[in-house]
């Protein structure tokens, strides 16, 4: 569903993503993690066609992001880190506006809005201005906007950042529910979220893939290499991002 081959991205002379390759199959929920500046957002921006790759090939739902960006967008839902919403808009109007932008035929829009709102459990706030909602509800609205056109792939950039523990649990459950029928790539700095949401992680460091695989297998590898049989996700992160392991 997502295929990235030898992808490279440069900001001027600065190489932000350096020859990475990975593939996501249909129905996978994968966490993209890494320290600040590792290249996560750049990768997501290329997957969502906001940036064009400088090298390599990036395909989503079978479409090349450079050759066929419109097709990629049709098959893709994206919640950026900033979750840009107009505070004075009613939730219903915000969804209706995205439904129109997504070219959902007018006769199908009410149903599409209701389906997305039901899935994200926001039917009870449809007629409230967005600025009156909690951050957790605003994230739900952002996710509802991202899935309203029933995309096969969902990209979530830091979807749980800034939420309180209860809101994190709610958004996590929502992502797990959505992940039953979509391919989901989620970036997060909250390492506990990784094990709760994703079975597989891709860890970027300095623009390269430091490790990619099922969380349980990677934890086993780190456990063996460090002699810590109870190694957790924090140990894994430290192991693969600590400079000495690349020397
Ligand atoms: P964070 O976790 O802080 O969001 P990230 O893993 O998402 O980091 P990116 O934002 O993709 O990392 O940045 C990768 C590298 O590219 C960093 O060194 C960053 O400073 C650089 N970079 C990002 N955006 C730009 C830009 N617009 N111009 C120049 N350099 C940039």
């Amino acid at each position: 569903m997502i295929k990235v081959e030898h992808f490279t991205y440069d900001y001027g002379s600065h190489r932000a993503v350096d020859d990475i390759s990975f593939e996501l199959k249909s129905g996978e929920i994968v966490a993209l993690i890494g320290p600040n500046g590792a290249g996560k957002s750049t990768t997501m921006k290329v997957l969502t066609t906001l940036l064009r790759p400088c090298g390599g090939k990036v395909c989503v739902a079978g479409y090349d992001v450079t050759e066929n960006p419109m097709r990629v967008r049709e098959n893709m839902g994206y919640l950026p880190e900033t979750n840009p919403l107009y505070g004075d808009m009613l939730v219903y109007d915000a969804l209706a506006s995205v439904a129109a932008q997504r070219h959902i035929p007018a006769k199908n829009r009410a149903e599409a809005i209701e389906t997305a709102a039901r899935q994200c459990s926001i039917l009870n706030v449809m007629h409230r201005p967005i600025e009156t909602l909690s951050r957790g509800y605003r994230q739900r609205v952002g996710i509802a906007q991202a899935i309203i056109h029933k995309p096969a792939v969902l990209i979530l950039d830091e979807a749980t950042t800034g939420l309180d523990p209860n809101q994190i649990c709610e958004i996590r459950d929502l992502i797990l529910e959505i992940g039953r029928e979509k391919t989901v790539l989620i970036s997060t700095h909250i390492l506990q979220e990784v094990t709760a949401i994703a079975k597989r992680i891709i860890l970027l460091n300095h623009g390269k893939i430091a490790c990619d695989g099922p969380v349980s297998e990677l934890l086993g590898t780190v456990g063996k290499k460090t002699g810590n049989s109870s190694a957790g996700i924090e140990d894994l992160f430290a192991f693969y991002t600590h400079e000495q392991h690349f020397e």
Side-chain angles (χ1 to χ4, degrees), residues 180-241:
R180 294 208 302 215
E181 53 186 32
K182 297 188 193 305
T183 302
V184 180
L185 182 65
I186 175 165
S187 79
T188 180
H189 280 294
I190 307 173
L191 292 180
Q192 293 83 349
E193 281 307 291
V194 173
T195 41
I197 292 180
K199 289 198 172 58
R200 173 180 163 202
I201 58 171
I202 298 173
L203 195 160
L204 286 184
N205 194 35
H206 294 305
K208 286 185 175 292
I209 293 182
C211 66
D212 173 3
V215 181
S216 52
E217 277 180 26
L218 293 172
L219 287 176
T221 304
V222 172
K224 273 189 203 138
K225 288 188 174 170
T226 60
N228 174 7
S229 57
S230 57
I233 189 76
E234 290 84 2
D235 303 301
L236 183 153
F237 191 91
F239 179 80
Y240 283 109
T241 57

Side-chain angles (χ1 to χ4, degrees), residues 49-244:
T49 76
L50 294 175
L51 296 174
R52 288 162 69 104
C54 299
K57 195 171 169 66
V58 177
C59 292
V60 176
Y63 298 105
D64 187 294
V65 295
T66 305
E67 290 164 11
N68 238 326
M70 293 310 287
R71 287 279 180 201
V72 169
R73 281 177 219 165
E74 283 166 18
N75 286 282
M76 156 89 58
Y78 176 45
L79 178 63
E81 190 176 356
T82 48
N83 187 9
L85 295 167
Y86 292 106
D88 54 354
M89 244 189 182
L90 302 182
V91 172
Y92 186 93
D93 293 341
L95 293 182
S97 151
V98 171
Q101 287 164 29
R102 286 292 190 180
H103 305 296
I104 295 172
K107 65 178 169 47
N108 301 335
R109 275 183 215 157
E111 191 197 334
I113 292 166
E114 184 173 340
T115 303
R118 186 179 303 284
Q119 189 159 17
C120 296
S121 304
I122 52 171
L123 283 169
N124 56 327
V125 296
M126 294 298 270
H127 298 289
R128 278 181 50 185
I130 288 167
E131 64 198 359
T132 67
L133 302 178
S134 67
R135 183 162 159 76
Y137 262 94
R138 284 203 291 269
Q139 286 300 84
R140 288 165 184 273
V141 174
I143 294 174
Q145 285 187 330
I147 63 170
I148 199 160
H149 57 301
K150 299 189 170 69
V153 178
L154 185 61
I155 306 265
L156 303 169
D157 198 354
E158 297 284 342
T160 52
T161 301
L163 300 180
D164 72 30
N166 289 336
Q167 292 168 337
I168 287 178
C169 287
E170 288 165 12
I171 295 295
R172 176 201 297 163
D173 289 347
L174 174 58
I175 294 168
L176 287 171
E177 168 76 24
I178 290 170
R180 294 208 302 215
E181 53 186 32
K182 297 188 193 305
T183 302
V184 180
L185 182 65
I186 175 165
S187 79
T188 180
H189 280 294
I190 307 173
L191 292 180
Q192 293 83 349
E193 281 307 291
V194 173
T195 41
I197 292 180
K199 289 198 172 58
R200 173 180 163 202
I201 58 171
I202 298 173
L203 195 160
L204 286 184
N205 194 35
H206 294 305
K208 286 185 175 292
I209 293 182
C211 66
D212 173 3
V215 181
S216 52
E217 277 180 26
L218 293 172
L219 287 176
T221 304
V222 172
K224 273 189 203 138
K225 288 188 174 170
T226 60
N228 174 7
S229 57
S230 57
I233 189 76
E234 290 84 2
D235 303 301
L236 183 153
F237 191 91
F239 179 80
Y240 283 109
T241 57
H242 204 281
E243 299 306 320
Q244 70 191 21

Side-chain angles (χ1 to χ4, degrees), residues 9-12 14-17 32-45 51 81 157-158 187-189 204 207:
Y9 193 88
D10 299 321
Y11 293 101
H14 177 62
R15 180 143 294 185
V17 181
L32 185 63
I33 61 173
N36 291 124
K40 305 179 295 294
S41 295
T42 303
T43 302
M44 289 186 149
K45 284 177 186 162
L51 296 174
E81 190 176 356
D157 198 354
E158 297 284 342
S187 79
T188 180
H189 280 294
L204 286 184

